[in-house]
Amino acid sequence: MPQKILLFLWMVLAFPFAVSAQEEQGIKEPPFVTIVYSSDQGESDQNIKKLDFLISHFTTKQEWIDAGELKPEDLEKTTHLLYFGAVQHSLSNSTRRAIDQFNGIKTAFGYNADQLEGFDFYQYTGEKRLVTELSGPFTEEKLPLTEAQQVLDIKASDAGKIWLYGEYNGTSFPLLIQEASHYYYGDTDISYSDSIALSEVFHEIFGMPHSEIHPGFLRLEDVNPTLDPTLLMDCADFLFSQDIPFMVSVTPVYKNPGEGEIYYLEDAPQLIETLQTIQNKGAVIVLHGYTDQHGEGVSGDGFEFSPEENEQMNEENLQQMLNNKLQKGIHQLAAHDLVPYGFESSHYSLTKEGYRTVSRYFPMYIGQVQLSDSNWMVMEESPVLTKPDMLNNMTFIPETLRFQEDGNTSSIDDMMERASRLQFTRDSVMSAFYHPYMGVDGLKEMIKELNTIPGLVWQGLPVDPYKEEEWLGEYKKEPQVEKPAETPALKKREVTFTMEWLPIITGISLSSLVIGMSYIISIRKRREDEF
């Protein structure tokens, strides 16, 4: 990497605005959060994982404890306690005692908080009601939900301060209430809109106001050995001219079994040169799977590491496959001095163990996160930068705006609508991607619109030149992972001469020589007979 690439600390990337806010307020340590939950599904509950996204924006010091197992000593280091009641039940005396004796800031979600001391500032009517919009006293803007959802019907006492309102048909009602150091949120199902709103109020709960800018991230997507390098270079040159930092998502091997094609990165020397050039100018390489395909599919159809698409594998075999492909992908790039600093899974599909496997290789994960090991469609991103426990504290660059879709004239409008909703949170992420095969004109159109987002500041990613040297040294000194034997159904674009061809070529040459000599001798004999 050249001198132009800036060296940042990973802590600053994950919490860039929290750090500045802490300095302003004289806060030296991030909060220590203990999440106590009552849930039928325990740790696999999707709402708990969504809270992980939000809390990890402010701190990586957090612990998760089942309500039935909570002891007073579990809260000795805790500064903020969060109770999540996903199901209605009676809390044990020991659980209530441990929570009641805790003197720090308490936040309760959903059911059972009325059994705890200090939460008498709200009343649950026992009913639910619909909500279609969220609002708060800190902004004149309203946050529309993508679809109506049910919340708990609660009433606030006169002493309570309301931080979030739910709205339906022009009527507003309390949703998140505070009294002194206690907060209560009347919902048990955290939608993405809830996450946007909660990430804003969490600044108040955790005492971290943050700078009010929206970090922007951009990546050029689905670069593989079949891409025309001129198209990639045109897009990169435009972004460099606009001083917009960006990532390049690279899949090192392209397969199309139906057409009998397999192309490796080394089969595209001009693309390698282009990637090296833009990396040297400051672009950050991201590994996007190994082939980004599954079974007999074409690269780009994704689900390379999905358990649903690899049903013949148990979890252990799936992780072995993932581990092997990560190593081969890194080798493919490192062989050409390309350093991947992050990973983007195929169609964002991975199991919980898969994220932990990836974290052994990369400090950064990009895209969306699969919240259910059994259903890839249960997927979501964080509205803010974060280092969630679910990702083993990898920095998560969420994909919040999506992308400009080829042939869809309204896709940019959809991106801008997402950006408008994210404005509800003061430091939400504006992250998008673009396919360079579409040409640079579409990228120019997309960037022109994105640049109108209030508060958007395009962000570079931290890379460490010393880590780069270590990384390249580690993967280049080891022998390259052997490519799988090619079958007649999988062929390369180019055929090169190797020693394996020598016996065949020699045989053909000798046969041709014998045939030629025999022909000459027969001609000569025929002429002698004629005379």
Side-chain angles (χ1 to χ4, degrees):
M1 293 282 182
Q3 297 293 329
K4 292 182 179 180
I5 297 181
L6 299 178
L7 174 59
F8 293 101
L9 296 175
W10 283 104
M11 180 67 180
V12 176
L13 172 67
F15 315 111
F17 314 121
V19 170
S20 63
Q22 288 182 60
E23 290 175 349
E24 291 173 2
Q25 296 184 3
I27 302 173
K28 296 182 179 180
E29 292 292 331
F32 192 111
V33 184
T34 299
I35 301 92
V36 180
Y37 56 89
S38 299
S39 171
D40 288 336
Q41 302 179 51
E43 290 184 334
S44 65
D45 185 85
Q46 297 160 18
N47 291 299
I48 302 243
K49 295 174 182 177
K50 294 175 184 179
L51 283 176
D52 182 16
F53 289 165
L54 305 184
I55 294 169
S56 298
H57 177 58
F58 302 94
T59 180
T60 56
K61 295 181 177 181
Q62 55 177 293
E63 291 183 351
W64 303 78
I65 303 174
D66 186 287
E69 301 175 0
L70 180 67
K71 307 179 195 60
E73 55 265 30
D74 294 327
L75 303 178
E76 290 178 355
K77 298 180 293 183
T78 304
T79 61
H80 295 69
L81 186 149
L82 190 151
Y83 171 74
F84 191 86
V87 294
Q88 284 183 291
H89 70 92
S90 296
L91 298 174
S92 68
N93 290 334
S94 60
T95 298
R96 290 201 305 271
R97 189 179 307 112
I99 295 177
D100 290 344
Q101 290 176 355
F102 173 71
N103 293 321
I105 295 174
K106 303 177 189 178
T107 304
F109 283 70
Y111 299 113
N112 312 322
D114 54 355
Q115 302 175 40
L116 303 172
E117 290 184 2
F119 283 92
D120 54 358
F121 55 88
Y122 86 96
Q123 296 82 41
Y124 171 42
T125 67
E127 303 292 332
K128 291 189 176 182
R129 62 189 309 168
L130 287 176
V131 57
T132 54
E133 287 184 317
L134 301 177
S135 63
F138 44 82
T139 177
E140 296 180 357
E141 301 295 325
K142 294 183 179 181
L143 177 61
L145 277 62
T146 54
E147 59 183 20
Q149 66 186 57
Q150 287 190 325
V151 298
L152 304 185
D153 184 17
I154 59 174
K155 308 297 181 183
S157 69
D158 293 338
K161 177 178 181 180
I162 302 174
W163 282 98
L164 285 177
Y165 293 90
E167 297 198 17
Y168 182 73
N169 283 344
T171 301
S172 63
F173 44 88
L175 191 57
L176 197 159
I177 312 168
Q178 175 196 6
E179 184 177 282
S181 61
H182 292 60
Y183 296 80
Y184 175 77
Y185 188 69
D187 199 0
T188 60
D189 186 16
I190 301 175
S191 68
Y192 186 59
S193 296
D194 291 328
S195 292
I196 294 174
L198 286 170
S199 61
E200 171 60 32
V201 182
F202 273 12
H203 290 88
E204 168 67 24
I205 294 175
F206 293 119
M208 294 184 176
H210 290 203
S211 299
E212 297 187 15
I213 69 168
H214 297 284
F217 296 91
L218 184 72
R219 73 181 188 272
L220 299 179
E221 182 81 343
D222 287 338
V223 173
N224 66 55
T226 65
L227 177 67
D228 182 349
T230 302
L231 296 175
L232 176 60
M233 195 71 246
D234 288 345
C235 291
D237 281 340
F238 167 70
L239 294 175
F240 287 134
S241 72
Q242 301 298 303
D243 293 325
I244 297 177
F246 61 96
M247 297 171 274
V248 183
S249 182
V250 181
T251 302
V253 178
Y254 174 90
K255 285 186 177 183
N256 184 355
E259 296 296 326
E261 297 176 328
I262 179 169
Y263 306 140
Y264 294 91
L265 199 57
E266 66 192 45
D267 299 321
Q270 290 184 330
L271 179 64
I272 292 172
E273 183 179 351
T274 299
L275 287 170
Q276 291 171 337
T277 298
I278 62 180
Q279 177 183 254
N280 290 339
K281 287 186 175 182
V284 173
I285 304 297
V286 171
L287 180 65
H288 183 27
Y290 182 59
T291 62
D292 191 22
Q293 52 93 231
H294 171 70
E296 296 301 304
V298 180
S299 287
D301 68 3
F303 298 110
E304 187 172 3
F305 311 114
S306 170
E308 296 170 274
E309 300 295 331
N310 293 277
E311 294 180 351
Q312 75 281 8
M313 295 186 183
N314 58 30
E315 184 65 37
E316 181 179 357
N317 291 336
L318 185 64
Q319 296 315 308
Q320 288 178 350
M321 183 261 287
L322 172 60
N323 191 71
N324 184 41
K325 288 193 173 187
L326 289 175
Q327 290 192 29
K328 291 196 293 185
I330 295 169
H331 275 294
Q332 283 277 323
L333 295 171
H336 306 291
D337 294 325
L338 300 171
V339 183
Y341 275 92
F343 183 73
E344 175 193 350
S345 188
S346 297
H347 281 17
Y348 311 126
S349 182
L350 274 180
T351 64
K352 179 180 179 180
E353 287 303 313
Y355 292 115
R356 297 200 176 273
T357 297
V358 169
S359 71
R360 293 200 290 268
Y361 295 90
F362 298 100
M364 179 172 63
Y365 183 81
I366 296 94
Q368 300 177 51
V369 171
Q370 183 173 330
L371 300 178
S372 167
D373 283 358
S374 60
N375 185 357
W376 69 266
M377 296 183 70
V378 181
M379 190 174 292
E380 196 163 291
E381 68 275 11
S382 166
V384 289
L385 288 174
T386 182
K387 296 182 72 172
D389 178 74
M390 180 184 175
L391 300 187
N392 210 24
N393 300 134
M394 284 188 290
T395 297
F396 181 25
I397 309 294
E399 176 202 306
T400 57
L401 302 184
R402 303 297 188 260
F403 63 104
Q404 181 176 358
E405 187 176 355
D406 193 5
N408 183 354
T409 56
S410 65
S411 59
I412 294 182
D413 291 338
D414 294 339
M415 296 173 73
M416 296 303 292
E417 191 275 332
R418 286 178 173 273
S420 176
R421 297 177 71 243
L422 285 162
Q423 290 283 341
F424 199 84
T425 299
R426 70 190 76 178
D427 59 349
S428 57
V429 173
M430 305 292 176
S431 178
F433 68 85
Y434 183 82
H435 291 101
Y437 77 82
M438 293 169 56
V440 70
D441 290 342
L443 178 61
K444 291 179 178 179
E445 179 186 9
M446 186 181 85
I447 294 299
K448 180 180 179 181
E449 290 298 318
L450 295 183
N451 278 338
T452 66
I453 297 173
L456 172 67
V457 178
W458 294 108
Q459 300 289 302
L461 293 172
V463 294
D464 185 345
Y466 301 103
K467 177 63 178 176
E468 174 197 328
E469 294 177 8
E470 176 187 344
W471 183 280
L472 283 178
E474 177 182 351
Y475 281 94
K476 292 187 74 172
K477 71 183 179 183
E478 298 176 3
Q480 291 292 299
V481 176
E482 293 184 3
K483 300 173 185 176
E486 294 179 20
T487 66
L490 294 176
K491 57 182 181 293
K492 284 188 180 182
R493 178 183 295 154
E494 299 175 356
V495 177
T496 57
F497 174 81
T498 67
M499 293 303 292
E500 295 175 357
W501 290 90
L502 186 58
I504 299 174
I505 295 174
T506 302
I508 294 174
S509 300
L510 290 175
S511 298
S512 301
L513 180 61
V514 170
I515 293 172
M517 291 299 295
S518 299
Y519 178 76
I520 293 172
I521 293 172
S522 66
I523 294 296
R524 184 176 297 173
K525 187 175 186 306
R526 188 184 307 162
R527 288 179 178 176
E528 289 175 352
D529 291 344
E530 290 176 354
F531 289 105

